[in-house]
Amino acid sequence: MTDALLPAAPQPLEKEGDCYFRKGCNPLAQTGRSKLQNQRAALNQQILKAVRMRTGAENLLKAATNHKVREQVRLELSFVNSDLQMLKEELEGLNISVGVYQSTEEAFTIPLIPLGLKETKDVDFSVVLKDFILEHYSEDSYLYEDEIADLMDLRQACRTPSRDEAGVELLMSYFIQLGFVESRFFPPTRQMGLLFTWYDSLTGVPVSQQNLLLEKASILFNIGALYTQIGTRCDRQTQAGLESAVDAFQRAAGVLNHLKETFTHTPSYDMSPAMLSVLVKMMLAQAQENVFEKICLPGIRNEFFMLVKVAQEAAKVGEVYRQLHAAMSQAPVKENIPYSWASLACVKAHHYGALAHYFVATLLIDHQLKPGADEDHQEKCLSQLYDHMPEGLTPLATLKNGHQRRLLGKSHLRRAIAHHEESVREASLCKKLRHIDVLQEVLSAAHQRSRLKYAQHQEDDELLNLMDAPDIISKTEQEAEIILPQFSKVTATDFFQKLGPLSVFSANKKWTPPRSIHFTAEEGDLGFTLRGNSPVQVHFLDPYCSAALAGAKEGDYIVSIRDVDCKWLTVSEVMKLLKGKGKDDVEMKVVSLLDFTSSMHNKCATYSVGMQKTYSMICLAIDDDDKTDKTKKVSKKLSFLSWGTNKNRQKSASTLCLPSVGVARPQVKKKLPSPFSLLNSDSSLY
């Protein structure tokens, strides 16, 4: 089985250049995995049709009053429900098609369970985003056609990710890009009219929403699903392959757990908190199974302490699968979890429990305590193997008494055989598991091995041995843990960064259309300072300077100067443009925040928030007292530098010299400090 059938060309990596596809995307793959995804997509369409027919029949049944019509509708409804059930069972068969996802190496190992990728419908961003760019940002939308096309290409590529780290990075880059898009184009106060549709990976039922939450959650689910497919693909006959499998399943658990904690109200059932909790347990159980296989890969030596170790490791795997099966058997997960998954969890719980008892039986029967042996160490290991010893037995006495060792060992063998028989029975009850040959072979071989060992030590007085083997305490040298997704390691550039810094130019803020400001800088005096860093704001504006008279306002953001986009320029770079080419005439475009500009006209509303009532009263009193000063005719325009020092009397009532909260004598007018003393490190004055 090959991973891809591509034309005779370089790898399908970068979108740029002469290569075929974006890195991490493999749409021409003709493997069993891609065919399986195509079958899943076709089933999803059939299920969608059946669901619509059922909904129509149910509505007709509610509306019909004629008895014969109602009987006919009930009959049709029963047929539709039957077809829908058959389609869901067929989809379940695809979900348990684990052989397609396994490693291509021939291996005598129990198959693992991967998750299939969620399918989606096409989405056209172009119309909605172009309209929003024109309406909200007041920019020509045709300038962003390439960026919108890149976004749609990236989404299309994420529908067929390659089953490797490049595919994971592709999905993560789109997830990060969705964060940029949400901030740029999706205001929280309204719907944008884009409908995102994703199919439930377990039931095939479509779910649609008009916001990006479903899109982001589904991409996260597919990242976790892709990690599971990477884990099942690893070569489990090598240490490196098993370590990669453990890492992949732990990362899958981390992504799914992050999805559960971050997106708590997703309407798709496969992403419900209850289902995600079960899926996280399943990934951690499979990672723990790989840990056991990694320990056993070099071979299990028939040595006392080695057998103690592998017995407790096997008991650990059996324990996590018992917990997983119990979680799968609880409502509401039980109704939608694939029956074959629950059956396989039960089979593995019994299988690894049987292995634990078999290894303990081997160490008790085959290893007698010899002179010179480390009695204290063996006694400690045996005592830590059980919660309590069987009645009448002690660890040291059992080690020294060969007869007691054999009796206890054979009781473990009987429990091992019972678990093996139960695992074989569970596997035979599930139609899907019966057709997995490697599973049947592994279960049969382990069962025969335990029966053979028991037959070798069976004696005539066997019926008199009524000793029950105690439970084995599970223990592991490597506990499977959740590895959280590391999105920070994936580099993703905002496609729409030309709109400006995201912290300012976002969908949450409303802007005035760009205003053209034509003014004259007299002898290099602009009449204002600059502050901020990308984008730059007008600060300390002289109300009598040429820029102010031309329409500039304090707090305006400068977006262009002489047709040069400066939304990403720093203060020093903007100053170079303003003073460049030795011209006194300056043309710049500015925008203002609507909320900011509206608040500047209402001092009471602005300065009373979070302050004492008396403080607002003082502001109003100062404002009323100085109305006569503001109406005085100015005989001569002063320069900006002289304005900062000589207009203190006129500006004493300005909001710039309002007292701070808690000042004891607010009536005393303070002298306005010089603009030079108010400048911070990221401001410049000219």
Side-chain angles (χ1 to χ4, degrees), residues 549-563:
L549 297 176
K553 300 177 182 179
E554 187 165 339
D556 283 347
Y557 288 91
I558 302 176
V559 295
S560 69
I561 298 174
R562 298 187 178 98
D563 295 329

Side-chain angles (χ1 to χ4, degrees), residues 13 24 39 44 52 67 127 139-140 196 255 263 473 488 648:
L13 298 180
Q39 295 177 29
N44 287 336
R52 288 176 175 174
H67 178 70
V127 176
E139 294 200 28
D140 293 330
F196 300 95
V255 173
F263 300 90
I473 297 178
S488 59
N648 293 333

Side-chain angles (χ1 to χ4, degrees), residues 161-452:
S162 58
R163 190 172 53 176
D164 50 25
E165 285 298 327
V168 173
E169 290 184 8
L170 175 69
L171 293 176
M172 284 189 173
S173 64
Y174 180 57
F175 180 79
I176 297 173
Q177 195 66 231
L178 286 176
F180 296 141
V181 172
E182 185 176 25
S183 299
R184 296 279 191 192
F185 304 107
F186 286 80
T189 56
R190 63 165 176 159
Q191 298 289 346
M192 294 301 296
L194 282 174
L195 189 64
F196 300 95
T197 301
W198 288 83
Y199 293 90
D200 193 299
S201 64
L202 301 179
T203 64
V205 176
V207 175
S208 300
Q209 277 190 348
Q210 289 193 23
N211 56 53
L212 283 178
L213 293 180
L214 178 62
E215 182 88 351
K216 295 169 72 175
S218 299
I219 291 297
L220 273 181
F221 184 92
N222 277 0
I223 293 174
L226 195 58
Y227 269 126
T228 66
Q229 296 180 13
I230 293 174
T232 55
R233 189 190 187 189
C234 294
D235 183 7
R236 293 156 65 191
Q237 299 303 304
T238 64
Q239 286 285 345
L242 285 169
E243 290 176 358
S244 299
V246 172
D247 180 74
F249 282 115
Q250 290 182 137
R251 292 185 184 278
V255 173
L256 296 175
N257 188 69
H258 178 71
L259 173 59
K260 182 188 70 172
E261 295 179 349
T262 308
F263 300 90
T264 56
H265 296 88
T266 50
S268 185
Y269 188 80
D270 56 354
M271 296 188 292
S272 64
M275 181 60 72
L276 288 174
S277 297
V278 171
L279 295 180
V280 169
K281 289 179 181 293
M282 185 170 72
M283 298 308 122
L284 292 178
Q286 295 187 135
Q288 198 67 55
E289 183 179 2
N290 293 144
V291 170
F292 173 76
E293 292 176 343
K294 187 173 66 171
I295 294 173
C296 298
L297 183 62
I300 302 174
R301 300 188 308 275
N302 195 355
E303 185 265 332
F304 185 88
F305 300 110
M306 182 64 183
L307 291 172
V308 170
K309 178 181 178 180
V310 295
Q312 291 188 308
E313 289 283 354
K316 178 65 177 180
V317 179
E319 178 185 23
V320 295
Y321 271 112
R322 281 196 302 274
Q323 296 173 355
L324 173 62
H325 182 257
M328 288 179 170
S329 302
Q330 299 294 324
V333 177
K334 183 179 180 180
E335 286 74 16
N336 289 282
I337 200 78
Y339 174 70
S340 52
W341 288 9
S343 297
L344 186 58
C346 183
V347 166
K348 289 188 176 184
H350 286 294
H351 174 71
Y352 286 103
L355 291 183
H357 285 286
Y358 173 80
F359 291 134
V360 172
T362 302
L363 72 88
L364 289 172
I365 294 175
D366 294 354
H367 297 279
Q368 302 294 330
L369 189 61
K370 299 178 180 178
D374 191 349
E375 294 184 5
D376 294 339
H377 193 190
Q378 289 194 15
E379 179 186 9
K380 182 179 179 180
C381 286
L382 188 61
S383 63
Q384 293 179 350
L385 198 60
Y386 307 124
D387 278 334
H388 61 278
M389 292 290 292
E391 186 177 356
L393 300 182
T394 60
L396 184 59
T398 303
L399 289 174
K400 292 182 177 181
N401 190 320
H403 180 66
Q404 289 184 356
R405 290 173 69 113
R406 284 193 300 274
L407 291 180
L408 184 57
K410 286 190 289 185
S411 67
H412 279 289
L413 282 177
R414 286 197 298 272
R415 288 199 63 176
I417 293 173
H419 279 299
H420 281 308
E421 291 175 348
E422 189 64 21
S423 66
V424 172
R425 187 185 71 85
E426 284 288 339
S428 65
L429 292 177
C430 180
K431 178 182 178 181
K432 306 299 180 183
L433 299 184
R434 287 201 301 267
H435 291 85
I436 302 179
D437 294 335
V438 65
L439 175 63
Q440 298 296 331
E441 293 173 3
V442 171
L443 297 180
S444 177
H447 187 200
Q448 292 299 326
R449 182 178 59 181
S450 296
R451 292 183 60 184
L452 179 60

